[in-house]
Amino acid sequence: MSGITSLTGATAGVVGDRMHGLATELFPICRSITGDGVRETLREISKRIPLELHEVPSGTQVLDWTVPDEWNIRDAYIAAPDGRRVVDFQASNLHVVGYSEPVRELMTLDELRPHLQADAANPEWIPYRTSYYARSWGFCLAQTQLEELGDGLYDVVIDSSLAAGSLTYGECYLPGEREDEVLLTTHVCHPSLANDNLSGIALLTELAAILAATRRRLSYRLLFIPGTIGSITWLAQNEQQLSRVLGGLVVACVGDPGPLTYKRSRRGDAVVDRAGAHVASRQGGRVLDFVPWGWDERQFNSPGFDLGVGCLTRSPESDFAEYHSSADDLDLIRPEFLEDSLQATLAILDIVEQDRAFLNLSPKGEPQLGKRGLYRGLGGESAATDQLAQLWVLNQSDGGSTLLDIAERSGLSFDLLWLAAERLREGGLLAEIEKGTP
Ligand code: ZN
């Protein structure tokens, strides 16, 4: 419809397949909050969009935190007394607790057991666990695998390194006509897990490509960051420029069949909140109030920043059975849900871009629409609804209400009201009021 190109019928299907394809390509990489897996992932993304990679040295103070040592892993296994690898990092990178320190030991099963984690409720799945800030090591395995382990001496190897290096994050800045910017972020720190978090990576990559090819009133900054420490690092390094941020969206878990879900920012009424609520509710999705839980919205909405950053998901964090397990795989995310989530993101950004106020130039009585050729359908939902949209825009356009205000009051869609306003402006009945920062 309006400023940002929404997907057309011609590209529908293609874009969802492309996002799923990127998720498939990145799936095998062992990512963590630092290390070569994140670098390799960001390098792949940078082949598609203009992405700048930042390296922040271990030990750097960032707000109340410190950038940790860099973790890399080459191999890990538990070998049975007969030499067979009964748990093998090469089969699934979820088998090793993230940030495990190196180990090379012969151990009895009893000695090994405190280092093994399984999920009895889902006995076929490998759970995903990490230990970033407390040095330890461990393996994750399916409950069924655990139950097959007999007595004997096991060869336990984790060939990893924890050493001074850096934290890597990716930043794609797309300047618009204004410096005011919208922040769009996703975390990039999970190993082979699809919905959390390759779906967010795939959506943000596709979104950046679309935004880069679009005329933009606002500026956009897309961050591909390791969870928590990445947003804290970015905030610490960009504190002087945060007044430009109008608001933003954390995008995560956007590929599963759950309904579209918008979680409000701490402010609750930021421009992104109102656009997000409008889009999610009109698509039969859910609108949740802010809670200081979830992903990087916790940092962006901390009281010292309060940036008005909401969160777009389908199933929210931990609200789907497969969450943080090997069952969060490439079959859980589907091209059609990825594409639907991308459409919703574009619709939200469209509103943020396009929301504006108009002045009714014929405010005394209703202007006669028929003699101006305006008494006919807009090609919207129905001729009657189109007429109603025009009447709402005329009635509310006294300079105080924007199109989104009118959408909320009337219950009509922003798109329909935007079309009505365009038609009325062409007919000489409306003039746009130049607004400052939305
Ligand atoms: Zn997660």
Side-chain angles (χ1 to χ4, degrees), residues 112-150:
L112 181 56
R113 211 177 277 281
H115 297 280
L116 302 180
Q117 302 192 46
D119 177 6
N122 295 292
E124 304 291 334
W125 300 353
I126 308 165
Y128 164 58
R129 301 282 184 268
T130 61
S131 181
Y132 300 135
Y133 302 104
R135 287 275 167 114
S136 69
W137 63 269
F139 286 87
C140 300
L141 65 170
Q143 180 72 25
T144 51
Q145 273 180 298
L146 179 60
E147 285 165 7
E148 281 169 11
L149 298 182

Side-chain angles (χ1 to χ4, degrees), residues 132-362:
Y132 300 135
Y133 302 104
R135 287 275 167 114
S136 69
W137 63 269
F139 286 87
C140 300
L141 65 170
Q143 180 72 25
T144 51
Q145 273 180 298
L146 179 60
E147 285 165 7
E148 281 169 11
L149 298 182
D151 287 333
L153 217 48
Y154 287 87
D155 186 15
V156 180
V157 172
I158 298 179
D159 180 12
S160 65
S161 58
L162 266 165
S166 58
L167 175 150
T168 315
Y169 70 88
E171 184 167 28
C172 170
Y173 178 63
L174 300 170
E177 291 161 18
R178 295 194 191 180
E179 276 200 338
D180 305 308
E181 65 184 50
V182 178
L183 207 54
L184 298 156
T185 84
T186 194
H187 54 292
V188 294
C189 50
H190 289 32
S192 296
L193 294 170
N195 200 34
D196 178 23
N197 60 202
L198 286 166
S199 69
I201 294 174
L203 189 150
L204 223 59
T205 303
E206 193 66 39
L207 180 64
I210 292 171
L211 290 173
T214 307
R215 181 171 171 267
R216 300 173 299 272
R217 187 173 67 98
L218 301 173
S219 299
Y220 294 84
R221 193 177 299 276
L222 297 93
L223 301 177
F224 297 77
I225 45 178
T228 306
I229 190 69
S231 48
I232 284 173
T233 299
W234 184 85
L235 285 162
Q237 296 193 321
N238 292 275
E239 200 168 349
Q240 305 311 315
Q241 295 153 54
L242 296 180
S243 59
R244 294 178 191 167
V245 177
L246 295 177
L249 270 182
V250 169
V251 176
C253 292
V254 284
D256 67 278
L260 196 71
T261 303
Y262 179 76
K263 187 179 99 175
R264 294 180 187 276
S265 74
R266 178 178 185 266
R267 290 190 217 160
D269 62 350
V271 60
V272 180
D273 291 325
R274 296 178 56 209
H278 182 73
V279 170
S281 56
R282 289 200 70 85
Q283 295 200 5
R286 296 175 287 195
V287 180
L288 307 178
D289 282 331
F290 176 74
V291 284
W293 191 248
W295 293 286
D296 289 301
E297 66 271 24
R298 293 158 65 169
Q299 314 310 326
F300 297 123
N301 288 299
S302 56
F305 295 120
D306 200 18
L307 293 180
V309 174
C311 183
L312 189 73
T313 63
R314 299 191 79 87
S315 294
E317 183 185 36
S318 70
D319 205 25
F320 54 106
E322 300 88 347
Y323 175 73
H324 280 190
S325 84
S326 55
D328 182 359
D329 61 15
L330 293 164
D331 291 332
L332 179 65
I333 62 171
R334 301 298 317 147
E336 58 268 32
F337 303 129
L338 289 165
E339 189 159 315
D340 183 68
S341 303
L342 176 65
Q343 278 279 21
T345 311
L346 286 166
I348 292 169
L349 297 181
D350 247 341
I351 294 175
V352 177
E353 277 273 325
Q354 297 295 329
D355 190 30
R356 58 199 61 194
F358 292 90
L359 195 64
N360 181 343
L361 299 175
S362 180

